[in-house]
Amino acid sequence: MLWGSCALFALVLGLFLAAWFVPDFGRRLPPDRWIVWGGLALPLPVLIALTLYAFNQGEFLLKGATKDTEDVLEVRATGRMWEWDFSYPTLPGSVAEPGVLHIPAGRTIEIVAESEDVIHSFWVPRLGGKIDAVPGHANRLRIRADKPGRYGGICSEYCGTGHAGMRFEVRAHDEDGFVRAVSAETSE
Ligand SMILES: [Cu+2]
């Protein structure tokens, strides 16, 4: 999307500069042609492609509503004023420190977001969409980190005076590192 928008911006800016500085630029094409090609023929495929891409991406993020066979790791994310807790219901004995979410890289993670008090919102900008954490209701969102690394997360629904500090960190590990990370913490 970034490179596509850069290309379109460069094209429009180029046309603008040409119209401004080159005498008689564009006069050979009648105005209705400019409208048909520039106003319809160019934007339609771009908008259709973006819409299809957005639908596809939305399917991935919200797949939790339906069942499939992919090997998905479920993580519970619980928000409360003003911190996040994470747990792994399918990994017995695993413990996570508050504010740190360990995940395996390259694997789809299903976040089950809940809240203990008011509405919060789970958001890791570099890993995709955000989802509200609502008291008494489990919302599901899928994320995936392609590479190991650290990714910042925040609460993105205003929830009180401590909202701005309601941050957490996602640490994506390779498969071995992930097992070590969630079991090493049991001894702490
Ligand atoms: Cu908040």
Side-chain angles (χ1 to χ4, degrees), residues 88-96 182-187:
Y88 308 87
T90 56
L91 303 176
S94 61
V95 178
V182 290
S183 52
E185 280 164 16
T186 58
S187 59

Side-chain angles (χ1 to χ4, degrees), residues 82 119-121 155-160 162-164 166:
W82 287 281
I119 297 177
H120 303 280
S121 181
C155 173
S156 66
E157 178 69 47
Y158 182 72
C159 55
H163 166 69
M166 195 172 161

Side-chain angles (χ1 to χ4, degrees), residues 1-183:
M1 279 187 185
L2 176 68
W3 293 118
S5 62
C6 286
L8 283 178
F9 179 72
L11 176 70
V12 172
L13 193 68
L15 286 172
F16 173 75
L17 291 177
W20 194 272
F21 290 112
V22 181
D24 286 339
F25 176 82
R27 286 264 164 82
R28 278 176 28 214
L29 211 58
D32 51 353
R33 289 269 183 90
W34 278 108
I35 291 171
V36 168
W37 287 103
L40 292 173
L42 177 68
L44 272 182
V46 173
L47 291 178
I48 289 171
L50 283 176
T51 306
L52 291 179
Y53 175 78
F55 275 137
N56 184 35
Q57 205 51 21
E59 274 305 298
F60 170 78
L61 293 172
L62 300 176
K63 206 62 171 289
T66 59
K67 287 273 167 266
D68 60 19
T69 53
E70 203 199 334
D71 180 26
V72 174
L73 176 68
E74 189 176 298
V75 175
R76 289 195 165 254
T78 308
R80 79 176 69 85
M81 292 188 274
W82 287 281
E83 59 181 6
W84 291 94
D85 258 351
F86 302 101
S87 63
Y88 308 87
T90 56
L91 303 176
S94 61
V95 178
E97 57 189 295
V100 181
L101 168 57
H102 295 283
I103 61 170
R107 196 167 156 196
T108 301
I109 312 296
E110 184 156 310
I111 304 291
V112 183
E114 281 177 297
S115 168
E116 288 183 359
D117 36 45
V118 299
I119 297 177
H120 303 280
S121 181
F122 174 98
W123 190 28
V124 187
R126 284 172 65 203
L127 298 184
K130 54 174 101 164
I131 194 85
D132 275 3
V134 180
H137 182 79
N139 274 336
R140 289 164 181 268
L141 173 78
R142 293 194 168 187
I143 61 172
R144 184 210 289 263
D146 292 327
K147 281 180 283 188
R150 295 176 174 221
Y151 305 87
I154 51 172
C155 173
S156 66
E157 178 69 47
Y158 182 72
C159 55
T161 52
H163 166 69
M166 195 172 161
R167 295 170 175 277
F168 59 97
E169 186 178 77
V170 176
R171 288 185 202 151
H173 308 267
D174 55 41
E175 196 69 43
D176 289 348
F178 170 70
V179 173
R180 249 180 285 125
V182 290
S183 52

